[in-house]
Amino acid sequence: MNDILRVGIVGYGNLGKGVELAILQNPDMELIAIFTRRQPDDLNTNSKVISISRIEDFKGKIDVMILCGGSAKDLPEQVIVISKLFNTVDSYDTHAKIPEYFKLVDETSRSSNKLSLISTGWDPGLFSMARLLGQSILPQGEDYTFWGKGLSQGHSDAVRRVPGVKNGVQYTIPIDSAIERVRAGENPQLSTAEKHQRVCYVVANEGANLSDIENNIIKMPHYFDEYQTTVNFINEEELLANHSGMPHGGVVFRSGITGNGSKQRIEFSLALESNPEFTASVLVAYTRAVGKMAKEGQIGARTVFDIPLGYLSPKSPEELRKSLL
Amino acid sequence: MNDILRVGIVGYGNLGKGVELAILQNPDMELIAIFTRRQPDDLNTNSKVISISRIEDFKGKIDVMILCGGSAKDLPEQVIVISKLFNTVDSYDTHAKIPEYFKLVDETSRSSNKLSLISTGWDPGLFSMARLLGQSILPQGEDYTFWGKGLSQGHSDAVRRVPGVKNGVQYTIPIDSAIERVRAGENPQLSTAEKHQRVCYVVANEGANLSDIENNIIKMPHYFDEYQTTVNFINEEELLANHSGMPHGGVVFRSGITGNGSKQRIEFSLALESNPEFTASVLVAYTRAVGKMAKEGQIGARTVFDIPLGYLSPKSPEELRKSLL
């Protein structure tokens, strides 16, 4: 066993809480502290909590910092400062801005000999790896990503903004018949709307007009109008009892042809009862990799495409070859 | 686009033929020659064929040599010689002897500054990677490998050795109820026999006693006696028409728990119409990786655990971050 890897967490939302729990499952790691913008005493945890303004005091005392903020504002702001002080891991997921974010992080981390892994988790992350693997092995073919069954935060927020809605959630669900066409090797052309349906569970305010609510949801531009959408009205107790979790998942397919026409199919799928806890577990495994690579002297920004899988494991290369190959 | 990667093939059985076809799907590679122990003129191909005794003449003319021989005898003999002359990729699959084989190849390739990737394909290979990924991300959990539906060469040979059998094939098929228990998150303890059934299609000699044949197959020690086995008698035309392919596949599951008890499941599955062609496609993608790594000056033996996925793709790291992450 190597030395214990000393880890810090920045941000204590759902993802940060998941990381705190995931570290407990990995005896080769120790959580040194959680850093927060809130009053440290306000956090409900037994871990050590430190104000983010004091993060620099921990230089040399933490090997890898896991950034658990949001991609819209938190990460771009924090990474500039923190990647100069620590090796970092984050789950930056604004797909369109990844090249720009990579460049930024590469410069800041390189300027002080630190290593930073960006955009890990499951999408971007494991699903990206599945797409890369599929395209590389079966160059003649198509790939398909289906998301769900999963709770969509953005769409749930949209539902809750509809007049007359007291509370609600939205699930994105893959359309079975579309999945079957892919499995059958038809290589169909499918839009996102042809691959997914949207199912809402809504608690209405007393006296609200239910058919108005339903219409406002179903016809909402961008969010729902192009999709097959179902609205179910339930009461608040039912919502709390059955719809408080954050399940998610999905499937990445690569469906291709080799040789003289043999159909070949690769599937990578996830079925998650807790999206933030799973994402956290991916971040923690990659934190181990960053710890090892930084020890070797590697610096700059990396993505999951740059990291040999063996680095994710607490086992030695010899042990991996013997027990897992 | 980089320079064209110059590739050689050693051995022209099903795997070598698959590699020949897979190279045609990858415009960044060129097949320079196939090396054989047979008379070169005996091979039915349009590619250049050279006697293996002349392989040394191609030093400096081939970047990576793909070894397509069998693991029992061919690979251990050939790799000692060839990994001193060329960078190599092979599909060595005798699981128990991999550590020993790795050590051997590491010494020979390192002694002449060559790079060798051993034991790639899908199992060992992609399935090994799925097991490693699952264990690293979900340390608290179980993994399960199911093979099939697939044609098993060894079991088909055993069926054909039974007295009264003219011809026959055997398929290994996962037991659906076992897969369902895993998907349900039960984390059951399952032996190989509890996970798979064996289905045989047999052509009997004229006048042979069918129930004797069936009994001899079903009770065959090691091969069949512990399994749920079905024997179907068919005629030779049917065998040729419906059972000449080499389909295979399987699923690797990791079923684990995170946080306060959330069930999480990762599945990686393959459905292959041609096992040798798919294995060949994996070898060819890893050949690209070996070409890039050798160019960087890397030497010695490697496994799939040591190779960043980005190296498998013909795309540049920038392009991968932009289009696939």
Side-chain angles (χ1 to χ4, degrees):
Chain A
M1 186 68 97
N2 297 312
D3 298 339
I4 297 289
L5 189 72
R6 299 166 305 170
V7 179
I9 295 173
V10 179
Y12 197 64
N14 288 323
L15 184 59
K17 288 175 191 165
V19 168
E20 182 185 29
L21 292 166
I23 291 171
L24 293 174
Q25 292 187 320
N26 290 280
D28 58 335
M29 298 187 193
E30 185 189 350
L31 175 59
I32 302 296
I34 297 166
F35 298 87
T36 179
R37 283 173 301 202
R38 291 181 263 171
Q39 285 298 323
D41 288 349
D42 290 356
L43 269 57
N44 181 19
T45 171
N46 294 320
S47 304
K48 184 190 278 189
V49 183
I50 306 283
S51 165
I52 199 166
S53 61
R54 291 186 44 216
I55 200 167
E56 199 161 352
D57 300 351
F58 285 79
K59 233 190 124 173
K61 294 174 188 159
I62 285 177
D63 300 309
V64 185
M65 201 66 92
I66 307 180
L67 309 185
C68 299
S71 296
K73 279 202 65 189
D74 302 340
L75 290 176
E77 282 175 23
Q78 294 175 346
V79 81
I80 305 180
V81 182
I82 301 176
S83 67
K84 281 189 183 157
L85 302 168
F86 301 95
N87 304 305
T88 66
V89 170
D90 73 47
S91 63
Y92 185 79
D93 67 358
T94 310
H95 290 265
K97 292 189 179 169
I98 285 176
E100 185 182 326
Y101 186 80
F102 180 89
K103 195 162 171 284
L104 174 77
V105 177
D106 193 52
E107 282 165 10
T108 55
S109 56
R110 211 171 274 279
S111 73
S112 55
N113 295 320
K114 299 296 176 198
L115 182 69
S116 287
L117 175 69
I118 69 158
S119 302
T120 187
W122 62 273
D123 197 356
L126 304 186
F127 273 17
S128 322
M129 291 157 66
R131 288 187 282 261
L132 168 57
L133 198 64
Q135 290 186 8
S136 302
I137 292 170
L138 298 173
Q140 194 179 327
E142 292 289 334
D143 48 48
Y144 298 90
T145 301
F146 288 84
W147 291 278
K149 180 187 174 178
L151 186 83
S152 161
Q153 211 56 67
H155 285 78
S156 296
D157 288 344
V159 165
R160 288 188 289 258
R161 282 192 300 262
V162 169
V165 170
K166 190 176 175 198
N167 206 342
V169 295
Q170 192 263 189
Y171 296 99
T172 305
I173 303 180
I175 295 175
D176 284 341
S177 58
I179 289 192
E180 285 317 311
R181 289 182 64 196
V182 172
R183 286 221 175 97
E186 287 182 33
N187 284 9
Q189 296 295 321
L190 296 168
S191 69
T192 306
E194 287 169 324
K195 289 192 292 183
H196 302 93
Q197 57 176 311
R198 303 198 174 279
V199 177
C200 309
Y201 292 87
V202 174
V203 180
N205 285 320
E206 221 173 288
N209 183 323
L210 302 191
S211 73
D212 281 357
I213 292 177
E214 186 172 356
N215 270 323
N216 282 329
I217 293 174
I218 287 176
K219 295 183 180 157
M220 196 185 298
H222 309 302
Y223 282 87
F224 292 101
D225 61 342
E226 292 173 359
Y227 291 83
Q228 178 188 324
T229 300
T230 315
V231 179
N232 302 291
F233 289 98
I234 59 176
N235 62 39
E236 189 113 44
E237 294 75 49
E238 210 178 325
L239 187 83
L240 289 172
N242 301 330
H243 302 284
S244 295
M246 281 177 280
H248 222 305
V251 199
V252 175
F253 289 94
R254 179 74 180 179
S255 176
I257 294 287
T258 60
N260 295 314
S262 309
K263 286 184 183 177
Q264 317 276 21
R265 195 177 75 239
I266 305 173
E267 281 189 44
F268 179 79
S269 70
L270 298 172
L272 312 175
E273 278 190 359
S274 167
N275 180 2
E277 284 180 13
F278 186 79
T279 303
S281 295
V282 177
L283 262 68
V284 167
Y286 274 96
T287 296
R288 179 181 291 117
V290 167
K292 292 184 194 179
M293 292 164 76
K295 225 174 178 176
E296 292 173 2
Q298 297 197 41
I299 61 170
R302 298 288 188 283
T303 75
V304 292
F305 298 151
D306 305 313
I307 301 200
L309 294 182
Y311 281 81
L312 302 180
S313 174
K315 295 181 179 169
S316 71
E318 295 74 28
E319 225 176 319
L320 289 176
R321 287 193 290 271
K322 197 177 163 182
S323 64
L324 281 183
L325 203 63
Chain B
M1 184 68 95
N2 296 311
D3 299 338
I4 297 289
L5 190 71
R6 300 166 304 170
V7 180
I9 295 173
V10 179
Y12 198 64
N14 288 323
L15 183 59
K17 288 174 191 165
V19 169
E20 182 185 30
L21 292 167
I23 291 170
L24 293 175
Q25 291 186 320
N26 290 280
D28 59 337
M29 300 188 193
E30 184 190 350
L31 175 60
I32 303 294
I34 297 166
F35 298 87
T36 180
R37 285 172 301 201
R38 292 181 261 171
Q39 285 297 324
D41 287 347
D42 289 356
L43 270 57
N44 181 19
T45 171
N46 294 322
S47 304
K48 184 192 277 191
V49 184
I50 306 284
S51 165
I52 199 165
S53 61
R54 290 187 43 216
I55 199 168
E56 200 160 352
D57 300 351
F58 286 78
K59 235 190 122 169
K61 295 174 189 160
I62 285 176
D63 301 308
V64 184
M65 198 67 92
I66 307 180
L67 309 185
C68 299
S71 296
K73 280 200 66 190
D74 302 340
L75 290 176
E77 284 174 23
Q78 294 174 346
V79 82
I80 306 179
V81 181
I82 301 174
S83 66
K84 281 189 184 158
L85 302 168
F86 301 95
N87 304 306
T88 66
V89 169
D90 73 47
S91 63
Y92 185 78
D93 67 357
T94 310
H95 289 264
K97 292 189 179 170
I98 285 175
E100 187 183 324
Y101 185 81
F102 180 88
K103 195 164 171 282
L104 173 79
V105 177
D106 193 50
E107 282 164 10
T108 54
S109 56
R110 210 170 275 280
S111 72
S112 54
N113 295 321
K114 298 297 176 198
L115 182 68
S116 287
L117 174 68
I118 68 158
S119 301
T120 189
W122 60 273
D123 198 357
L126 304 185
F127 273 17
S128 321
M129 291 156 65
R131 287 187 284 262
L132 168 57
L133 198 65
Q135 290 186 10
S136 302
I137 292 170
L138 298 173
Q140 195 177 326
E142 294 287 334
D143 48 50
Y144 298 89
T145 302
F146 289 82
W147 290 279
K149 178 188 175 175
L151 186 82
S152 161
Q153 212 55 66
H155 284 78
S156 296
D157 288 344
V159 164
R160 288 188 288 258
R161 282 191 301 263
V162 168
V165 170
K166 191 176 175 194
N167 207 343
V169 295
Q170 192 263 193
Y171 296 100
T172 303
I173 304 180
I175 294 175
D176 284 341
S177 58
I179 288 192
E180 285 318 311
R181 289 182 64 196
V182 172
R183 287 220 175 99
E186 289 182 32
N187 283 10
Q189 295 295 319
L190 295 168
S191 68
T192 307
E194 288 168 325
K195 289 191 292 182
H196 301 94
Q197 56 176 311
R198 302 197 174 280
V199 177
C200 308
Y201 292 87
V202 174
V203 180
N205 285 321
E206 220 173 290
N209 182 322
L210 302 191
S211 73
D212 281 357
I213 292 177
E214 185 171 358
N215 269 322
N216 281 329
I217 293 174
I218 287 175
K219 294 182 180 158
M220 195 186 300
H222 310 303
Y223 283 87
F224 292 100
D225 61 344
E226 293 172 359
Y227 291 84
Q228 179 188 325
T229 301
T230 314
V231 178
N232 303 292
F233 290 97
I234 59 175
N235 63 38
E236 189 113 43
E237 293 75 53
E238 211 180 324
L239 187 84
L240 289 173
N242 301 330
H243 303 284
S244 294
M246 281 178 280
H248 221 307
V251 198
V252 175
F253 289 95
R254 180 73 179 180
S255 176
I257 294 285
T258 60
N260 295 313
S262 309
K263 286 184 184 177
Q264 316 275 24
R265 195 176 74 241
I266 305 172
E267 282 188 43
F268 179 78
S269 71
L270 297 172
L272 312 175
E273 279 190 358
S274 167
N275 180 3
E277 282 179 14
F278 185 79
T279 303
S281 295
V282 178
L283 262 68
V284 167
Y286 274 97
T287 295
R288 178 181 293 117
V290 167
K292 292 185 193 177
M293 293 164 77
K295 224 173 180 176
E296 291 174 4
Q298 297 197 41
I299 61 169
R302 296 290 187 282
T303 74
V304 290
F305 299 150
D306 305 313
I307 301 199
L309 293 182
Y311 281 81
L312 302 180
S313 174
K315 295 181 179 169
S316 72
E318 294 73 30
E319 224 177 319
L320 289 176
R321 286 193 292 270
K322 196 176 165 182
S323 65
L324 281 181
L325 201 61

